[in-house]
Amino acid sequence: MRHFGLLGYPLGHSFSKAFFEEKFLREGISDATYSLFERPEAGEFLREAESLNLLGFNVTIPHKQSLTPHLLMGDAAAESLGVVNCVKRKTGVSGITEWHGYNTDVIGFSRSIKPFLASLHTRALVLGNGATAKSVGWVLRQLGIDVVVAARNASGDMLSNLSFRELEGIGFGPFPLVVNTTPVGTVNYPEQTLPLPYSGFSIDHLVVDVVYNPPETALLAAARGQGAAVLNGLSMLQEQAEASWRIWNSED
């Protein structure tokens, strides 16, 4: 039996276990299991993963960056960003277990957004400056899109150009593409709306929210009500999960 799973904290809202169990049933994969590992700290998990004979696991909030010092980076995005959400177990040349980290969020976001992009989407506003924001910003820059990042507090670095307070005076008008990477709006999240100007959208806007539960957040509802095209995070999650499965089952 091959064992996989998801590391994060908390995991009550996770879609991964249901996704993989349905995939296993649908595709007749009878030799694989997928478990949840709700751990507030990530430092000791690799030892636990080895004892459980895990072949690979996904990583979610809050460990996408904190786990990286314990891993070998497996792709360019993980190396560049220091952000991983997929880990694969390998055997090194000396027979010692190695854990390699990959960023499949960039694959998921790229594949989900590309069909919706138009020539006018030359400038993007990314809401939030955490691990997911780094992955989203990386993809957009690779696509030649100018990226401005807004967070609760502007930090002065390349990942926080504006604070939400400063954004109130600017609005969404200058940004034909808006992507929310914060967990605000997620079911059971204590704060259901961002402190943002929810007006100024138009039919020229594409608004993306990486939140997938509920299917329509307050941000997406406001944007759709003003004629904007909207996209939630479900397709991104599905694409990154499939990318993880390909990595775990590759020969390298």
Side-chain angles (χ1 to χ4, degrees):
M1 188 66 69
R2 297 178 295 154
H3 302 292
F4 306 92
L6 172 68
L7 170 67
Y9 187 86
L11 293 178
H13 64 282
S14 172
F15 110 122
S16 297
K17 184 176 174 63
F19 175 86
F20 278 104
E21 289 183 343
E22 289 172 7
K23 175 182 176 66
F24 297 159
L25 183 62
R26 182 177 65 252
E27 299 181 12
I29 301 170
S30 60
D31 65 339
T33 66
Y34 193 96
S35 304
L36 298 181
F37 300 98
E38 194 170 50
R39 305 289 187 271
E41 302 294 334
E44 298 300 316
F45 182 72
L46 294 182
R47 186 177 303 173
E48 179 183 355
E50 185 169 2
S51 69
L52 293 172
N53 199 32
L54 292 187
L55 297 181
F57 58 93
N58 291 119
V59 185
T60 189
I61 295 173
H63 303 315
K64 290 184 178 183
Q65 296 179 92
S66 62
L67 191 64
T68 55
H70 308 283
L71 306 172
L72 297 172
M73 296 296 97
D75 60 33
E79 181 72 38
S80 174
L81 300 173
V83 175
V84 303
N85 68 314
C86 173
V87 177
K88 180 177 180 176
R89 179 178 179 172
K90 296 185 180 182
T91 302
V93 292
S94 59
I96 298 175
T97 295
E98 296 178 350
W99 296 96
H100 293 242
Y102 302 82
N103 189 316
T104 60
D105 275 342
V106 299
I107 299 172
F109 181 70
S110 179
R111 291 190 174 187
S112 65
I113 196 173
K114 277 183 177 179
F116 296 88
L117 291 177
S119 59
L120 58 85
H121 298 129
T122 58
R123 195 179 193 209
L125 176 69
V126 175
L127 304 175
N129 62 355
T132 302
K134 287 185 177 182
S135 300
V136 165
W138 193 87
V139 170
L140 295 176
R141 293 184 182 99
Q142 293 289 311
L143 293 172
I145 297 173
D146 182 44
V147 176
V148 175
V149 176
R152 293 191 180 279
N153 298 295
S155 67
D157 63 26
M158 65 179 294
L159 278 179
S160 265
N161 310 115
L162 296 170
S163 69
F164 288 156
R165 183 179 296 276
E166 291 171 318
L167 185 61
E168 289 180 5
I170 300 172
F172 292 124
F175 309 102
L177 173 59
V178 177
V179 184
N180 174 44
T181 69
T182 77
V184 174
T186 306
V187 168
N188 296 327
Y189 194 80
E191 187 174 3
Q192 293 300 308
T193 59
L194 292 164
L196 298 172
Y198 281 83
S199 60
F201 293 115
S202 71
I203 59 173
D204 293 328
H205 277 87
L206 170 60
V207 181
V208 183
D209 200 324
V210 300
V211 172
Y212 64 93
N213 186 15
E216 185 172 83
T217 59
L219 175 64
L220 293 187
R224 182 177 56 80
Q226 295 167 65
V230 300
L231 175 67
N232 69 20
L234 183 59
S235 60
M236 175 182 173
L237 278 170
Q238 292 169 335
E239 291 286 0
Q240 68 84 14
E242 292 290 357
S244 295
W245 185 248
R246 290 193 295 271
I247 288 170
W248 293 333
N249 289 278
S250 66
E251 294 296 328
D252 62 343

